[in-house]
Amino acid sequence: MRFGVEKIILAILCTIVVLACFWLFIGLRYDLWTPTAYSRYHWLCSRMKIAPEFWHGRIKAGDDARKIVKAWPPQVIHQFGPWAELEWIPFNPDKKSAVPDIGIVAVAENAKLVLARSYARDGIDEKTFFDALTPSAQAQYQAALEMYTWGELSGQIRPSNSTRKTAGKPRTHK
């Protein structure tokens, strides 16, 4: 009888060790430390074909933004000066609409990617994939973005300077 109890305890301990190793592997490899973050990662990857490319490091700083846009067209592109913001928003097939509170944004300078991160309104899966902006480039980007935003808000820049698509259907602003 005693021998059977020892086997059961050993099996339980081995299971705990295997689960802990799996959790460490997922946490270190994908920077996903909670079950909620892991399920969000799978949800994003199933709805955005570009998500695994960023998450697994196949898209890196310095990659050509034009090739990325051609391969995985973003839903929103804002172009201002040498800068471009590319935004991918997941499509929700249940509601037949985009989910704007979750997505991936990449910034390109002179058609080369310099920054990419995922964002979420609830804070789950906010991850910086890469950030190659120097402090001076960051200041230039912030200044250009501010001028673009204020110009768009004041009506000096027409919204047609941005290419917008929602759920795969282009929208034209005039």
Side-chain angles (χ1 to χ4, degrees), residues 9-25:
I9 291 172
L10 184 61
I12 290 171
L13 288 174
C14 288
T15 303
I16 290 170
V17 168
V18 167
L19 290 175
C21 289
F22 178 73
W23 178 69
L24 276 172
F25 172 77

Side-chain angles (χ1 to χ4, degrees), residues 15-109:
T15 303
I16 290 170
V17 168
V18 167
L19 290 175
C21 289
F22 178 73
W23 178 69
L24 276 172
F25 172 77
I26 295 298
L28 292 172
R29 179 159 171 98
Y30 303 120
D31 196 24
L32 302 168
W33 293 100
T34 66
T36 306
Y38 189 69
S39 67
R40 175 72 58 82
Y41 158 78
H42 278 288
W43 187 87
L44 280 173
C45 289
S46 69
R47 285 167 175 76
M48 295 189 323
K49 300 298 182 200
I50 196 166
E53 303 300 316
F54 280 112
W55 229 282
H56 299 285
R58 292 187 287 261
I59 296 177
K60 300 181 237 19
D63 286 355
D64 189 353
R66 291 176 294 241
K67 290 180 181 176
I68 303 230
V69 166
K70 189 174 181 180
W72 300 281
Q75 282 72 29
V76 180
I77 299 173
H78 293 285
Q79 182 88 39
F80 44 99
W83 302 95
E85 274 189 358
L86 317 170
E87 188 174 5
W88 292 269
I89 303 167
F91 181 70
N92 188 349
D94 302 332
K95 297 182 180 178
K96 299 192 182 345
S97 64
V99 182
D101 294 341
I102 304 167
I104 293 176
V105 66
V107 175
E109 179 184 20

